[in-house]
């Protein structure tokens, strides 16, 4: 299965490409007065209003700044996600379109199911699903559904 | 979802539609018998029967089969239709509906009685054949099963067999399907294909009108809307980009197509309201029986289209109002006869398109609202004080019914009287961005009108800037915008820790954005003057301080992302015309969030000053003025209510004809007036490249007043002094922004400019004694203007600022006044109320009353005459005013 790799706070992470709607350059974020800091703001994505989350802050790391390199992953809505992925990843995505603001994107690689390993106990995190070792790279595979259903983990946002 | 479930779900939806057809058909049948209607009914019942047979909904099948048979006999001419059958048909239709909605689709229903009714109804009008034969002919199934002493019809047994088949797993395997088809076809004359076909497409029958529809997911429509919205934004950007290009034929033709596209997409969400109206025929019929009154319902404008979601939310409020009409409004037949009315009461239900809105009117010719009773009740519940009750006009009192917990019905009946409802009706309409209007005439009836936007998808909103961000506020939640300057009399003040403002006798809390969001970085910058929006949610009002007002825009409100749904002070987000995102504020959310203690504030305020005094002071003395200049020095002002339009004009647009200057505005050539020719002013600056032209609403006064600059509009208490400079066209002077300002008398100006059409009529009052006039008007400006007119032609004028004041003056010296000239819309007591009070008083009833208002529409004219006014004139036309007044005094 193909995964799209990206960096957040110097950590390499990945999501299955089947969950992504589009990856865009960050434009102007409309900041929402009164919203938690972890939300960068709203963007107009071809007529849809998309909430963008600062992935760095969401993981308790450094804030992702808007740069030439930084990108926003826009994920599919549940209703748009037609292809269920075969890795046992949650296919239950958020009902809204949500964007993740990341530091930079890397290439797309293929990861076989038998390469996926459980997350070591010392780095367990509700957003982490698996870890993968590819040569020198250590990749964390995210659970998109968990990140996107942030309502469940509101304390992570505060 | 497997195929079986999907087909079944679709069938249920289909059945609901057929039931509506059935009901409509029955209503048509009730009015007039025609074979077409019978055919329509037959088709509807046939489809229901077929589908239910396939899905083993045995009881529905049984009833619809019997129903179908009877209809078929009528169609074939074997049975003579009798209008007495209709109530039974309705009952059958109701039973089918109930079963359709029940959890087990009617399988546990007892339909014996209704079946028997149907049968006996059809037998009683039988013209040939023995009863036994007929029964057999009509319903072999029924007879057979009864013979066996069982209530199970034959069809049910077979259906039970179908049930035992592994249908859902094997529906696609050919042999079983065939088997299934066979058994279905034996009992129900239907094949699987037929059922599915008739479900997917209901226009199989060639006789049915070709009104093809398909079901589309609402999601898809919404996406279509979003994309169209974006295309429109893109188009606007392109048009701007290529504005200077010479050849843009392709672009502009595409721009038109896009506008059309947007229209069509909006229409996809629209539905005629007729479907909702239809059910009220039934409700009224049922209720009239229940309350034992004769009531008929007249429905108009069923084809009027509204957004689907609006129609859905209207059903309950309308039902409530119709019930109210039946229960409270319409009197019993005996009472109606003794009051000289038609024993049958009528309720009119009408929808129509009006000025881009849809209005829905519910009117009855019953007893009207008993306003005294309403007041009494409101007093009892502590809603109003006795002072307020005494000063309330009938309309104000009637409007109290929209407060929660108020019902005038003495006894609580099953229909109404619990005091819940009218408040819900009002809040529902307001939630939809609409407004409602109530009229009532004692003994003649009541009328409630809803004014609704045609679509919820697009809302007209005001875009404002607070701090760094822009926000949208739907106009439906916005009352007004108020600008306060440092020198203004009323300022935002602090009373006991509340930041408040006195708005026309009410204290309203004033909020800052930072108080709402708890985020101090997002606050307004502030300055020497403050602007705030007055927002309302229900009866609560509050102010929100903003930095600037940007513009008005039609926006599509998108729901808040789930992550943010705790921020209830936002109604959602939206994409503005320039492609930026803005949050949409929710007045409802804000007021709940802040738990504004409005009652507390009110009581605080009541202790401060009596409500009535404040209302008087505030409403009477405020005036809107347009302040402008004709040269560098003098500041001039005219009432804003008389201004039609202001346009900026380049000097080279002026046409000069024989010393006069004209300008072409719209399709009219307008004469320009330089005020320095009429007043002792400095000459108009000749070097300016552009200027402003102010056109007025005054009849036949098609001139433009030239201004070198427009200062602003002014809303404040006005104190007029006598002008120090002579000149007829000055009404007075006042001090605005620390500058002396001349207030123009536009009517005298009109007279001077074109004397031929504005010649003051000579009044014969000088030669008669009848020259005592009482002028009633709440606006000081008009009051003085009117006084000036009348005095200029020889009247003696007494002034009053509202109906109550006038009534007191009249009662004091009933014989003093020969004529009363009154405004209609006034605080405390309006013109209608005044005239009503005068016409029931034996001392005052003979004094003629002339209505004077700024409305020129015929409906207001009629309304004024109906209310008891003897004559009518339009404020902005001096000639008609004097004519109207003269007529009464000369005729005497």
């Amino acid at each position: 299965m193909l995964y799209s790799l990206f960096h957040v706070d110097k950590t390499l992470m990945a999501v299955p490409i089947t969950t992504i709607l589009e990856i865009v350059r960050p434009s102007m974020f409309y900041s929402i007065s009164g919203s938690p800091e972890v939300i960068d703001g709203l963007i107009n994505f071809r007529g849809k209003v998309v909430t963008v989350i600062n992935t760095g802050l969401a993981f308790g790391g450094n804030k992702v700044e808007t740069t030439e390199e930084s990108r926003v992953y826009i994920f599919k809505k549940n209703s748009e996600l037609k292809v269920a992925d075969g890795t046992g990843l949650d296919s239950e995505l958020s009902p809204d379109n949500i964007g993740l603001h990341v530091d930079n994107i890397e290439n797309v690689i293929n990861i076989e199911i038998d390469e996926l390993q459980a997350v070591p106990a010392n780095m367990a995190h509700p957003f982490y699903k698996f870890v993968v070792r590819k040569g020198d790279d250590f990749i964390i595979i995210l659970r998109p559904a968990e990140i996107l259903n942030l309502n469940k983990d509101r304390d992570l946002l505060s | 979802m497997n195929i079986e479930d999907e087909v079944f779900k679709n069938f249920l939806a289909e059945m609901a539609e057929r039931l509506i057809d059935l009901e409509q058909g029955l209503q048509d049948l009730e009015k007039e018998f025609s074979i077409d209607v019978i055919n329509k009914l037959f088709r509807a019942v046939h489809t229901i029967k077929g589908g239910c047979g396939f899905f083993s909904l045995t009881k529905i099948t049984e009833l619809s089969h019997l129903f179908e048979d009877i209809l078929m006999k009528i169609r074939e001419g074997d049975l003579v239709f009798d209008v007495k059958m209709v109530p039974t048909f309705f009952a059958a239709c109701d039973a089918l509906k109930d079963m359709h909605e029940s959890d087990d689709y009617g399988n546990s229903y007892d339909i014996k009685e209704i079946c028997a009714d149907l049968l006996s109804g059809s037998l009683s009008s039988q013209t040939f054949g023995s009863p036994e034969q007929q029964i057999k002919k009509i319903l072999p199934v029924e007879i057979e099963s009864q013979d066996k002493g069982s209530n199970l019809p034959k069809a049910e047994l077979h259906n039970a067999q179908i049930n035992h088949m592994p249908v859902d797993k094997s529906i696609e395997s050919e042999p079983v399907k065939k088997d299934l088809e066979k058994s279905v076809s034996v009992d129900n004359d239907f094949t699987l294909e037929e059922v599915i076909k008739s479900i997917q497409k209901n226009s199989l029958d060639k006789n049915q009108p070709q009104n093809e529809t398909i079901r589309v997911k609402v999601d898809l429509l919404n996406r279509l809307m979003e994309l169209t919205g974006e295309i429109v934004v893109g188009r606007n950007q392109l048009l701007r980009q290529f504005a200077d290009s010479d050849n843009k034929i392709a672009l502009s033709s595409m721009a038109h197509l896009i506008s059309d596209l947007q229209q069509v997409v909006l229409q996809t969400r629209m539905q005629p309201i007729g479907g909702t109206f239809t059910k009220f025929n039934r409700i009224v019929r049922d209720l009239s029986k229940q309350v034992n009154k004769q009531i008929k319902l007249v429905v108009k404008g069923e084809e009027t289209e509204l957004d689907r979601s609006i129609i859905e939310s209207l059903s309950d409020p309308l039902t409530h109002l119709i019930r109210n009409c039946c229960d409270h409004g319409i009197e019993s037949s005996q009472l109606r006869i003794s009051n000289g009315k038609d024993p049958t009461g009528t309720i009119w239900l009408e929808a129509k398109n009006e000025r881009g809105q849809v209005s829905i009117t519910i009117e009855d010719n019953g007893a009207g609202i008993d306003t005294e009773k309403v007041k009494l009740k409101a007093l009892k519940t502590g809603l109003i004080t006795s002072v307020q009750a005494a000063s309330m006009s009938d309309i104000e009192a009637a409007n109290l019914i929209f407060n929660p917990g108020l019902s005038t019905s003495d006894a609580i009946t099953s229909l109404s009287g619990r005091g819940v409802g009218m408040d819900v009706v009002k809040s529902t309409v307001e939630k939809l961005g609409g407004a409602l209007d109530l009229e009532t005439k004692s003994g003649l009836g009541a009328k409630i009108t809803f004014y609704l936007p045609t679509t919820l998808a697009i809302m007209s909103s005001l875009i404002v800037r607070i701090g760094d961000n822009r926000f949208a506020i739907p106009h439906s939640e916005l009352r007004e915008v108020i600008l306060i300057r440092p020198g203004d009399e009323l300022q935002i003040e602090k009373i006991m820790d509340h930041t408040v403002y006195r708005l026309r006798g009410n204290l309203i809390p004033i909020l800052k954005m930072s108080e709402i969001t708890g985020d101090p970085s997002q606050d307004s910058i502030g300055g020497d003057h403050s602007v705030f929006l007055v927002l309302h949610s229900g009866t609560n009002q509050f102010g929100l301080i903003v930095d600037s007002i940007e513009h008005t825009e039609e926006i599509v409100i998108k729901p808040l992302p789930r992550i943010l749904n705790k921020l209830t002070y936002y109604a959602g987000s939206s994409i503005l015309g320039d492609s930026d995102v803005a949050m949409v504020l929710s007045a409802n959310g804000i007021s709940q969030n802040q738990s504004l203690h409005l009652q507390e504030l009110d009581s605080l305020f009541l202790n401060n000053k009596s409500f009535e005094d404040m209302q008087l002071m505030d409403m009477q003395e405020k005036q809107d003025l347009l302040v402008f200049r004709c040269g560098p020095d003098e500041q001039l002002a005219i009432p804003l209510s008389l201004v039609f339009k202001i346009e900026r004009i380049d000097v080279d647009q002026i046409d000069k004809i024989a010393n006069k200057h004209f300008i072409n505005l719209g399709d009219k050539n307008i004469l320009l007036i330089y005020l320095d020719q009429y007043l002792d002013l400095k000459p108009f600056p000749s070097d300016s490249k552009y200027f402003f032209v102010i056109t007025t609403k005054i009849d036949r006064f098609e001139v433009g007043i030239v201004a070198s600059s427009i200062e602003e509009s002014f809303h404040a208490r006005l104190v007029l002094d006598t002008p120090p400079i002579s000149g007829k066209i000055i009404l007075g002077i006042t001090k605005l922004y620390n500058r002396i300002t001349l207030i123009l008398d536009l009517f005298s100006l009109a007279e001077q400019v074109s004397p031929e059409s504005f010649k003051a009529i000579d009044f014969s009052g000088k030669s008669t004694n009848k020259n005592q006039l009482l002028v009633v008007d709440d606006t000081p400006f008009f009051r003085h203007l009117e006084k000036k007119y009348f005095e200029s032609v020889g009247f003696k004028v007494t002034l009053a600022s509202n109906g109550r004041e006038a009534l007191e003056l009249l009662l004091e010296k009933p014989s003093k006044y020969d004529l009363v000239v009154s405004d209609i819309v006034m605080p405390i007591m309006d013109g209608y109320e005044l005239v009503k009070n005068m016409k029931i008083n034996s001392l005052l009833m003979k004094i003629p009353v002339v209505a004077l208002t700024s409305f020129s529409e015929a409906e207001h004219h009629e309304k004024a005459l109906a209310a008891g006014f003897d004559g009518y004139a339009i404020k902005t036309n001096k000639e008609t005013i004097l004519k109207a007044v003269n007529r009464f005094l000369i005729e005497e």
Side-chain angles (χ1 to χ4, degrees), chain A residues 30 33 44 47 51 96 149, chain B residues 230 470 558 561-562 570 581:
Chain A
Y30 177 91
S33 187
N44 172 8
T51 317
D96 302 302
N149 284 319
Chain B
E230 278 303 286
R470 292 198 290 179
K558 293 159 200 280
R562 261 220 308 200
Y570 294 125
V581 183

